[in-house]
Amino acid sequence: MITLTSDFGSPYPAAMKGVIRRHTDAEMIDVAHDLPRGDPRAAAFWLRFVLPEFPPAVHCAVVDPGVGTDRDALVVRAGAHVVVAPDNGLAMPPARALAADESDVEAWTVAVDDPASETFHGRDVFAPTAARIRAALDEVSGAPNGAPDADAVAETLAAMEDLTPASDPVDISFPEPTVERAEGSEEGDGEEVGDGEEGGDGEVIAVDGEVLAIDRFGNVITNVPGELVRGRDWVRVDGDLTPVAETFGAVDPGERLVTVGSHGYAECDVNDGRGDGAFDLRPGDSVRFVPDSVSL
């Protein structure tokens, strides 16, 4: 199996599929081709969420604002999965999500000789690389769309002459929210969200987060873990009182709400509307959540 992801829209992915089909009869599955244009961080976020749902596969992902420059082409093994992508940080977050342990992630750069185009490496570099890897893995497994184990995948990639170990691939990290807690409160529920803890170990009195992404429905996905809002009735979002609900239908059409998305993060949404407009938020914006029980 080869999955394909890009910001290309149409018809460019069809050219990538044509190239792949010349090398292998592997099943091809489109993840998305309408990701935010030229935004590897957004692509990394979505792939980190989506790709772990697949069985072991070769994942070809191209969101490449540096096409034609000296940025490398990258192959990353994540357990028995392989990610083929530009070396701009896109590959590493989903690779970590795919691997059972970070020690089971390793990367190679791809030797690129005179691509036919300086503006379409999706067709001329990444698609043929993904196809060659898929064909090599099928040969190892002895069956089309076979699933060799992680050791066999590692050995296969190490034996490919156009791959060289990458010592320092570009990475993308996602910010942790800052959680402010009351001193000595007996109402704390003990949530842990990383290193961004301030104050005491009691109840949460404020969370300062960041908008990670906005989906096509206008839902504003933050980096605030869902457990910090789940179970509450109301929170203040940048000072505005907003209901917390498990479903969109819990509020009237056109009403704002905070809910927990399927990815596990708190979202700022509107039932039958766009949260990005209602909350005036864009990717990278800061956002502050204060439980309504806290005095302002």
Side-chain angles (χ1 to χ4, degrees):
M1 180 190 300
I2 297 175
T3 73
L4 296 168
T5 305
S6 76
D7 58 352
F8 291 159
S10 176
Y12 299 109
M16 295 173 63
K17 291 180 180 180
V19 169
I20 290 170
R21 185 59 76 215
R22 294 207 303 265
H23 292 273
T24 175
D25 291 329
E27 178 184 11
M28 288 182 275
I29 295 179
D30 293 303
V31 174
H33 295 293
D34 58 355
L35 293 179
R37 287 179 292 179
D39 190 345
R41 183 175 183 263
F45 170 79
W46 287 115
L47 292 178
R48 183 180 67 165
F49 170 54
V50 171
L51 293 189
E53 303 299 331
F54 284 89
V58 176
H59 306 286
C60 182
V62 189
V63 175
D64 192 16
V67 62
T69 69
D70 60 357
R71 68 96 184 90
D72 288 324
L74 199 67
V75 170
V76 182
R77 182 185 68 83
H81 292 261
V82 179
V83 181
V84 180
D87 187 17
N88 58 16
L90 184 165
M92 300 310 293
R96 285 191 291 271
L98 288 166
D101 185 88
E102 193 159 346
S103 64
D104 207 20
V105 175
E106 55 183 334
W108 293 262
T109 57
V110 182
V112 177
D113 296 323
D114 189 25
S117 168
E118 292 297 339
T119 59
F120 194 7
H121 286 189
R123 177 194 64 192
D124 300 330
V125 176
F126 299 108
T129 298
R132 288 196 301 272
I133 291 171
R134 181 69 266 170
L137 294 177
D138 287 347
E139 185 175 347
V140 169
S141 66
N145 297 304
D149 63 22
D151 289 340
V153 174
E155 292 174 4
T156 300
L157 295 177
M160 296 185 74
E161 294 183 355
D162 61 339
L163 301 186
T164 303
S167 59
D168 190 24
V170 178
D171 202 351
I172 288 174
S173 61
F174 296 98
E176 295 285 350
T178 299
V179 181
E180 185 178 350
R181 296 181 182 272
E183 292 283 356
S185 169
E186 296 180 356
E187 301 179 20
D189 48 16
E191 305 101 327
E192 294 183 0
V193 297
D195 298 328
E197 298 274 359
E198 292 185 356
D201 57 1
E203 71 169 317
V204 174
I205 59 176
V207 184
D208 289 301
E210 183 176 310
V211 177
L212 295 179
I214 295 173
D215 69 17
R216 66 185 300 268
F217 299 102
N219 299 324
V220 177
I221 303 165
T222 76
N223 65 340
V224 175
E227 61 263 25
L228 294 180
V229 299
R230 186 182 284 114
R232 303 182 187 277
D233 294 324
W234 300 84
V235 295
R236 294 184 183 274
V237 180
D238 290 337
D240 293 331
L241 191 62
T242 307
V244 179
E246 292 185 358
T247 65
F248 289 94
V251 301
D252 291 334
E255 293 297 315
R256 307 192 323 167
L257 71 150
V258 169
T259 192
V260 180
S262 58
H263 37 65
Y265 293 109
E267 294 185 1
C268 300
D269 301 338
V270 171
N271 183 18
D272 197 23
R274 295 191 63 89
D276 53 349
F279 288 88
D280 192 23
L281 289 170
R282 302 292 181 270
D285 285 354
S286 60
V287 58
R288 183 173 177 86
F289 292 84
V290 177
D292 186 43
S293 59
V294 175
S295 298
L296 297 176

